[in-house]
Amino acid sequence: MRQSGTNLPKVGRYNRAVVMDQIQLADGISRVEIAEHTGLTPQTVSGIVRRLLDEGIVWEDGASRASHGGKPRTTLRLNPDAGRAIGLHFDPVELTCALVDLLGRPLAVRKRPTPSGTDPSHVVAAMTELVAEVRASAGVPHEEVLGLGLATPGPIDLEQGVIVTPPQLAHWSRVPVRRMLSDATGLPVTLDNDATAAAVGERWSGAGKGVANFAYFFFGTGIGGGLILNHQVYRGGSFNAGEFGHSAVLPDGPECYCGNRGCLERLINPSAIVTEVHRRLAARSGGSVLSQAFGQDPASVDHAAVQRAAADGDPVAAAVIDEAAQHVASVAVSVANFIDVDLIVLGGHGIHHVESRYVEAVAAALATRPLSRNIRVTEVEASLLGTDAAVVGAAALVLHATYSPQLSALLAD
Ligand SMILES: [Zn+2]
């Protein structure tokens, strides 16, 4: 068995990242508080902070605040302008690109349809144009961009930077997208699956900020998951952990492309939800505001129309969404039982307009069904990043890789 050790320069870099993480997660923090939270000596914290100030990554707040009537303490904050990153969300239907500041706030966002052709190089060309457009519209020079983060559907081979035959992308078989995109844009590219990227974004600037253990359910064209455990991104042995969408919720349910039966994703992906609403409208079960539109043109009752109708309380659409939310709740209970997370975050464009229906169903299940509920109830929240979760997360991949304390960085190569 090989196990890596560490050495002093790596410890120094790690401590610097730990200090920066404290500054990033807090809305203003003093040197004393950093030392208290991290267990580092005040001298070590002061030395690291001095270098971060010299490099312009951190600011000292002019306003000092007194603590318990004692000596005023200077507050430290991240300088939002100290770094820029670009995120790209590769969805089979749409490409979204955002340029964010060091706080993860989008300065410019652009979208375009994903080219439908068979050649991955056409998609990479479209991505490259979109990156240039976003950079130009934000007015940020190329050399000020730390890197490009790409969030893609899984499965991926993270070590090789390769997308491995994703289910909704015919013709994508082991495409070396990281190298192609890096060659085309001249930027270093960080790749991850869309759900992990969204979880990293939520850790950087969303509902998961400062939460030690949380699971992220990402609702896109499919349903993915991301895990942050003990403040670290958990990727698993082949970098494909957290496939909550392939948890079987109906043992004899329909076969899924993964080889399993009755998977969550198979039952509640956007097209499955639309199919079920169409079936009920065709059977004329219950009055629905969608009935007339369905009679004139069934295609007009698409996923967005179903979500909007459900949000407005339409009985047919709401019933289908609430049944979907019950399936999500069952998987959330399993995640709470298996991993004992503090928080479950629900996000992605797939639950746009109906986030609260999903949150309510999952909250009710988490309060009554996990074994650990009498010790503390796992919380659930909708993503603060909304429909931009994956693209902001993609950009946060770069910030996270550059600035967050990662145990892997401690280990000798
Ligand atoms: Zn499956």
Side-chain angles (χ1 to χ4, degrees), residues 108-248:
V109 182
R110 288 281 184 284
K111 294 174 192 287
R112 65 187 280 178
T114 303
S116 56
T118 58
D119 189 347
S121 70
H122 293 166
V123 176
V124 171
M127 288 174 171
T128 306
E129 283 172 28
L130 202 55
V131 167
E133 264 176 45
V134 160
R135 203 171 51 68
S137 73
V140 173
H142 179 84
E143 59 275 13
E144 283 183 20
V145 178
L146 289 165
L148 172 63
L150 176 65
T152 96
I156 56 175
D157 182 336
L158 205 58
E159 283 179 334
Q160 302 290 323
V162 167
I163 297 179
V164 185
T165 48
Q168 295 100 353
L169 293 161
H171 312 290
W172 283 69
S173 171
R174 300 202 65 85
V175 175
V177 69
R178 182 167 62 203
R179 183 178 51 73
M180 291 166 79
L181 199 54
S182 176
D183 288 351
T185 60
L187 290 167
V189 174
T190 309
L191 173 73
D192 222 317
N193 77 56
D194 41 20
T196 299
V200 169
E202 215 65 34
R203 180 190 183 279
W204 193 269
S205 58
K209 211 173 161 179
V211 179
N213 304 289
F214 72 92
Y216 190 98
F217 279 58
F218 179 75
F219 299 83
T221 305
I223 292 153
L227 283 169
I228 305 287
L229 300 180
N230 196 19
H231 298 287
Q232 305 283 310
V233 180
Y234 180 77
R235 291 196 166 86
S238 76
F239 304 101
N240 288 288
E243 288 290 357
F244 306 140
H246 296 284
S247 187

Side-chain angles (χ1 to χ4, degrees), residues 18-68:
V18 166
V19 168
M20 203 175 135
D21 205 40
Q22 288 293 320
I23 298 170
Q24 192 259 320
L25 294 176
D27 185 22
I29 190 167
S30 71
R31 289 170 178 78
V32 174
E33 287 165 323
I34 295 173
E36 283 168 6
H37 294 176
T38 60
L40 294 170
T41 65
Q43 292 87 334
T44 303
V45 172
S46 285
I48 292 171
V49 167
R50 197 178 320 116
R51 283 190 294 278
L52 290 171
L53 287 166
D54 287 347
E55 291 165 33
I57 295 173
V58 164
W59 275 347
E60 247 171 341
D61 244 3
S64 305
R65 64 193 164 88
S67 140
H68 309 297

Side-chain angles (χ1 to χ4, degrees), residues 245-246 256-260 263 265-266:
H246 296 284
C256 178
Y257 61 81
C258 73
N260 202 1
C263 287
E265 175 174 313
R266 175 67 183 77

Side-chain angles (χ1 to χ4, degrees), residues 365-395:
L366 290 174
T368 52
R369 290 160 56 186
L371 198 57
S372 65
R373 67 183 179 276
N374 295 326
I375 297 159
R376 67 98 168 73
V377 171
T378 298
E379 294 192 27
V380 55
E381 278 186 47
S383 162
L384 294 179
L385 307 177
T387 54
D388 286 336
V391 71
V392 170

